[in-house]
């Protein structure tokens, strides 16, 4: 229903893989590569030109943008040029992703997210709706970030240079938290909803409050899931859409270490 | 000005009442029913197909969507299929409402709201801009929710099953508050701006802080309105667009009890 | 690439300056004036009609809207009628600006901002993404407001009349802060991220917490920038896009006082 080839604009120098669908009213700017089996829904913009385009039109050349295979870009998403995405990317509606963003495989970006560019997100990470990722952020793999989290880059605004936040693999950032510039949240942590986070936190930390403190080892906290088990490390209990869905996290983990 | 019948796409099996207007660039997907006197402004999507559509195109049948009468859907709103809305619904711009959402009569959903589906909202409730309603939420009638409130459904993310939040009639949720999964905020409460709410709260509570506590009976708090009266219960002082506008809350209330 | 004159709708009584570009799919409603050298990108709406339009179509006359010169309105921005903007305005994507908004020269409004109208913003002020400006706000010049800040107008919701917030020149409002109705934050203050602000604060205050308190004189706080200098007053160290970029803040400031 969305794919009637109505008002689709595909510029020059666009390479589109096999079995790709492009929705109505979508525009693909020059120098975009789209992998096989990817669906770009209606009203999207892929390869949105950067600011130079507006004021230096004649000399402007759009930098390259790469969307991987097997991806689903939902409607009204704007992806700037000069970014690179792995395979199996999913977006919600009305996402904005600025230039110089690098995202790995199997990650997702929820509706209304604003990724400000010049940042890196790993594999199998999930940004829920309205996540605001500031420049210079480095986000690992299997990181889930919940709505209204803002990842900042300036401790003494306004100042330069911008300095990003680091988030380690498997870490969960609760809704409505603010991660202040230069913070380093290592692996397998949980940041409680509404925390204002600043500083460095070791692996397996439960972090909470304003200013946020390390309450203790996350794996020792009395956080039980519906089956009555300690929920953390969460990978033991949760596998929807994750690579250990078939064999469980422990076996999968061993296979990774063997590689 | 918005209704030039330009680029309007209305699919098969759409039932449109009398005196309905559909704005330019709007798409109505199959199996949508729209009540009399409703206005769908420009660039809207009504009956947006769910995920199965993208990958199982041939066998896909769009579930039914019902928009009531006398509604105003402002521009750039996306309403998924498989939802049902009462009469006199109003939306702001760029709203997203996912599948399995049920909303009563005379309610409104502000600009940029993200209603994630599988939830219920009563009558005369008002969501201001950027409210994020997680799945499984049950929101009563005459509930006003202010910007950036997030209503969550997972206490130990990520885990399953999702468990929603309950909000009783006449309750007000202040801006930028987070309501944690399983919280039950009963009738006629006020949650202060920026609270992180967890637990059950009796009727007529003033709730504030992180973690939020019941400060006391809301109707006894020294919250005065511009006329010098205690503002709560607010229904005694505020009637804009509400069914007691003509006769006052007390008389209206008696009539309800008589029915 | 964006300016192919495709699906552009320009109504009657629109005055467009010289060297203006209008992007594809953009609609300009009646009674809009656009200054010289301004770029309105694709999929924008300028002069969006107010509510009366929907229900009183025949007698409706669109109030005037003025966009200044040398402005850049990025794609998918909706600007209501009955507003007035100075020169060199910049917007992000998907901004919404309601009626009766007045913005000075050289200011910017980031992606997803929701300006609810009936408010004033000065010169050289910058709203980052997702800032929510309630009605009756008065925001000075050189004010920078970071993501998810919400500026409210009702202390005892719901009640009337709405009462706005005042923000003085040079003040910085950290991300995810809530400014409660009637607050007055004077000049050259810094509100820390995540603060819930209520009350009046003198010039040069550092304000933090929930409820927010004045911690002390901002210019005496140990906030150092990358060069090891106290960062506040920030005007001494930061001049990107600001009128003192060439001669420094002190000399520029003297010239202002001489005028």
């Amino acid at each position: 229903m969305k794919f009637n080839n109505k008002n689709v604009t595909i510029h020059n120098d666009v390479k589109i893989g096999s079995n790709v669908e492009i929705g109505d009213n979508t525009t693909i700017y020059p120098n975009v590569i789209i992998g096989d089996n990817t669906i770009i829904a209606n009203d999207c913009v892929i390869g949105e030109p950067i600011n130079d385009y507006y004021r230096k039109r004649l000399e402007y050349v759009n930098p390259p943008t790469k969307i991987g295979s097997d991806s689903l870009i939902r409607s009204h998403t704007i992806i700037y040029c000069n970014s690179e995405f792995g395979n199996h990317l999913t977006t919600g509606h009305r996402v904005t992703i600025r230039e110089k963003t690098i995202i790995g495989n199997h990650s997702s970006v929820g509706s209304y997210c604003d990724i400000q560019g010049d940042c890196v997100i790993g594999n199998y990470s999930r940004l829920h709706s309205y996540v605001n990722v500031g420049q210079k952020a480095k986000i690992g793999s299997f990181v889930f970030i919940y709505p209204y989290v803002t990842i900042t880059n300036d401790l003494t605004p306004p100042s330069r240079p911008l300095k990003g936040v680091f988030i380690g693999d498997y870490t969960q950032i609760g809704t409505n938290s603010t991660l202040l510039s230069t913070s380093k949240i290592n692996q397998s942590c949980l940041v409680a909803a509404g925390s204002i986070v600043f500083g460095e936190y070791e692996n397996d930390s439960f972090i909470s409050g304003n200013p946020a403190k390390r309450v203790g080892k996350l794996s020792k906290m009395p956080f039980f899931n519906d089956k009555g088990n300690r929920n953390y490390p969460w990978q033991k209990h949760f596998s929807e859409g994750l690579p250990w869905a078939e064999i469980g996290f422990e076996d999968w983990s061993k296979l990774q270490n063997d590689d």
Side-chain angles (χ1 to χ4, degrees), chain A:
Chain A
M1 299 178 280
K2 288 163 170 295
F3 303 98
N4 307 300
N5 211 18
K6 214 170 110 179
N7 284 322
V8 175
T9 306
I10 297 178
H11 284 269
N12 299 328
D13 300 315
V14 170
K15 286 186 195 148
I16 297 181
S18 62
N19 199 27
V20 166
E21 293 187 288
I22 312 280
D24 302 339
N25 307 308
T26 283
T27 298
I28 317 274
Y29 284 108
N31 236 330
V32 169
I33 299 176
I34 299 175
D36 297 346
N37 307 311
T38 281
I39 298 173
I40 314 279
N42 53 295
D43 296 277
C44 290
V45 176
I46 309 294
E48 169 85 4
I50 51 176
N51 287 345
D52 284 352
Y53 163 73
Y54 291 108
R55 298 297 180 189
K56 302 177 185 168
R57 200 75 50 84
L58 289 177
E59 59 207 82
Y60 182 78
V61 178
N62 213 34
T65 309
K66 192 176 168 198
I67 310 273
S69 70
D70 302 286
S71 296
L72 172 57
I73 309 298
R74 286 203 182 76
S75 78
H76 302 83
T77 288
I78 300 174
I79 294 179
Y80 272 69
C81 62
N82 210 3
S83 286
E84 187 168 344
F85 306 95
N87 304 323
H88 296 274
L89 174 71
T90 305
T91 78
H93 302 285
R94 291 184 262 245
V95 170
T96 308
I97 302 179
R98 294 286 305 268
E99 64 271 21
K100 297 192 194 165
T101 295
I102 296 174
I103 301 184
N105 298 311
H106 291 275
S107 285
S108 65
V109 180
S111 295
Y112 306 95
C113 279
D114 181 39
I115 299 187
Q116 304 197 324
D118 198 1
C119 62
V120 180
I121 299 174
N123 303 312
Y124 288 99
S125 286
R126 298 181 190 173
L127 277 56
H128 287 242
S129 307
Y130 307 99
V131 174
N132 177 242
V133 179
Q135 292 177 21
K136 309 294 179 190
K138 288 199 194 316
I139 299 172
S141 294
F142 308 104
V143 171
F144 294 7
I145 305 182
Y146 295 91
Y148 296 116
V149 168
T150 180
I151 299 178
T152 72
N153 51 28
D154 186 2
L155 271 181
T156 53
S159 72
R160 293 288 182 267
L162 299 175
K163 294 176 180 176
V165 164
F166 173 88
I167 304 176
D169 297 346
Y170 303 107
T171 281
Q172 304 276 313
I173 310 289
T175 190
N176 209 7
S177 293
T178 300
L179 310 186
L180 295 179
S181 168
T182 73
S183 291
K184 190 171 179 190
I185 302 165
N186 281 297
Q187 290 189 18
S188 300
C189 294
L190 171 65
V191 172
S195 301
I196 309 289
V197 177
F198 174 59
E200 181 166 353
Y201 300 84
E202 62 190 280
N203 291 350
D204 192 27
S205 292
F206 174 55
I207 299 161
S208 179
N210 174 13
K213 301 223 165 93
R214 180 177 197 264
V215 179
K217 258 183 167 346
L218 177 59
S219 58
K220 302 293 187 196
M221 300 294 299
F223 295 149
F224 299 95
N225 61 29
D226 212 53
K227 287 178 180 159
N229 300 313
R230 275 185 205 277
N231 197 59
Y232 300 96
W234 61 266
Q235 306 93 289
K236 290 188 178 175
H237 310 289
F238 189 94
S239 64
E240 279 178 22
L242 294 168
W244 55 85
E246 304 276 317
I247 60 172
F249 183 71
E250 286 189 26
D251 285 357
W252 176 83
S253 207
K254 279 178 201 151
L255 288 174
Q256 305 309 301
N257 293 331
D258 292 351
D259 284 349

